[in-house]
Amino acid sequence: MSTRFASDQPSGPSNHVNNVAIVGATGRIGTHILRALLATNLHRITALTRPSSAPLPADVTRKEIDYAVPSSLVSALTGQDFLIISLSATASRDAQTKLIAAAAEAGVKWIMPSEYGTDVAARPDVGEDILLGPGMLAARKQIIDAGMNFVGLACGPWYEYSLSEGSRSFGFELKERRVTFYDRGETRITTSSWPLCGEAVAKLLSLPVLPEGAADERPTLSRWRNQSLRIGSFFISQREMFDSVLRVTGTKEADWEAQYEDVGERYERAMKGVREGNMALFGVMLYARVMRGDGASDLEDGKANAVLGLGEENLDEMTRVAVEMAKGKLQDK
């Protein structure tokens, strides 16, 4: 898209995102993105799914795809303005590459690639250290080279999910009342809840694509063209998480078993295991790296919460969600 203003465009094209396609609409973050988009009532939404996928809301169009049949991807993406890709950890390694190629052939203009973490362009060193960055940057390049635009969602670790997942992530075993602090547990990182991620995407796609003219100072989708959209729920340390857990559970610090681990040593140990083929240590490696204390997951500079009008969140409410998830009651919802 070469025009700077909507008034420069030839008559006909809409200055809004009307048709949105989602891959992973029933997944962890995809569920929340879909819910938030539906709440705006601004878009025609299509979910690209496998035949065995979970049920979808009645007002979402389902299109079944087969990654081994590129024409099925192109057909499903024809007429779409924006593609959101949220792939599961079990997806084939070339799934996103195939989706981007199909989107280009289908005429899609915008893609949100499957990133959802740190700002890989701002911190390529972190991307290298967690082994995910090169693939993310390659996907961005593929999108640009194909003449499309991307917006990456940089949200840091998902708060309620990471808090509920046990010692491998934020270090908390909530049911067992055990916590492992990385170093002294005082490194602050940007984290985001799933609902905030969904709200951010919905707010973004509700914006005009371009300013109407030079005097139009409203935020637009094009403001984040080929960049990361930085958001965050809480800029928080493990110690502050622990304080919230104590409030929510009505427990005292003496009720918990605490241990401390050098975060650098934790990262090196986990990375060694990953390189030897023990992928169970991948999450340990990833979280240890982003919580090392060198700003790897500090997204506060340039955070777009205020620009998008994102709502304020209550820390203890989201901690309570994590506690319930750890009990198995919320099933990642």
Side-chain angles (χ1 to χ4, degrees):
M1 187 180 297
S2 59
T3 52
R4 293 177 56 201
F5 305 114
S7 57
D8 296 334
Q9 295 189 103
S11 58
S14 171
N15 195 31
H16 288 85
V17 173
N18 297 309
N19 301 312
V20 180
I22 306 179
V23 176
T26 60
R28 286 168 173 158
I29 193 171
T31 298
H32 294 270
I33 292 173
L34 178 61
R35 184 179 299 152
L37 285 172
L38 287 172
T40 69
N41 200 31
L42 293 174
H43 315 284
R44 292 180 290 273
I45 301 174
T46 299
L48 277 59
T49 72
R50 298 291 186 90
S52 60
S53 294
L56 291 163
D59 43 359
V60 175
T61 299
R62 178 195 295 272
K63 292 196 175 180
E64 295 183 354
I65 58 172
D66 183 344
Y67 288 102
V69 183
S71 61
S72 73
L73 305 180
V74 176
S75 175
L77 290 169
T78 297
Q80 302 299 324
D81 302 315
F82 200 108
L83 168 62
I84 299 168
I85 305 176
S86 174
L87 294 171
S88 73
T90 59
S92 63
R93 298 183 68 176
D94 63 349
Q96 179 158 257
T97 300
K98 291 179 176 179
L99 285 165
I100 294 170
E105 185 174 344
V108 177
K109 300 300 184 185
W110 293 83
I111 296 180
M112 179 168 283
S114 194
E115 296 182 4
Y116 312 108
T118 192
D119 188 338
V120 292
R123 292 299 304 267
D125 58 321
V126 177
E128 290 276 356
D129 287 347
I130 62 175
L131 307 179
L132 299 174
M136 293 176 180
L137 293 176
R140 290 180 168 202
K141 184 177 186 300
Q142 183 189 1
I143 292 167
I144 293 173
D145 288 349
M148 298 179 289
N149 307 295
F150 74 82
V151 180
L153 186 66
C155 56
W158 296 322
Y159 179 75
E160 67 276 48
Y161 170 76
S162 301
L163 187 59
S164 72
E165 273 293 284
S167 61
R168 73 180 183 89
S169 49
F170 283 167
F172 290 84
E173 297 175 81
L174 295 174
K175 290 190 292 185
E176 295 81 5
R177 294 185 182 175
R178 289 195 297 266
V179 56
T180 299
F181 289 110
Y182 304 160
D183 295 334
R184 303 304 300 175
E186 296 172 351
T187 296
R188 303 184 87 193
I189 62 172
T190 301
T191 69
S192 297
S193 71
W194 280 332
L196 186 84
C197 292
E199 183 185 4
V201 175
K203 293 276 191 181
L204 178 72
L205 298 195
S206 298
L207 299 175
V209 175
L210 296 167
E212 289 298 330
D216 187 356
E217 297 182 351
R218 295 174 300 169
T220 62
L221 173 60
S222 61
R223 176 171 177 166
W224 291 279
R225 177 191 287 134
N226 300 335
Q227 299 179 45
S228 293
L229 173 67
R230 292 185 167 204
I231 63 166
S233 298
F234 315 112
F235 189 54
I236 191 170
S237 69
Q238 283 181 293
R239 282 288 179 183
E240 291 167 316
M241 296 176 198
F242 191 33
D243 289 342
S244 180
V245 169
L246 295 179
R247 290 191 297 268
V248 167
T249 59
T251 57
K252 303 182 294 295
E253 190 165 346
D255 299 325
W256 288 69
E257 176 187 339
Q259 62 183 16
Y260 299 83
E261 187 170 354
D262 181 282
V263 71
E265 293 177 0
R266 182 181 176 93
Y267 168 79
E268 294 296 340
R269 172 178 55 82
M271 177 58 86
K272 181 177 184 294
V274 170
R275 293 196 183 282
E276 292 172 350
N278 184 0
M279 296 310 294
L281 291 174
F282 184 85
V284 177
M285 176 274 292
L286 188 152
Y287 281 92
R289 179 61 188 90
V290 300
M291 298 179 78
R292 182 181 287 177
D294 62 350
S297 186
D298 181 349
L299 302 173
E300 299 305 293
D301 184 21
K303 196 168 70 172
N305 289 43
V307 176
L308 292 178
L310 299 178
E312 293 290 328
E313 291 182 287
N314 182 285
L315 173 61
D316 287 358
E317 287 180 3
M318 295 314 303
T319 297
R320 185 169 289 106
V321 171
V323 170
E324 293 302 307
M325 286 173 62
K327 294 177 181 177
K329 291 183 177 179
L330 294 189
Q331 301 290 317
D332 287 359
K333 300 296 185 185

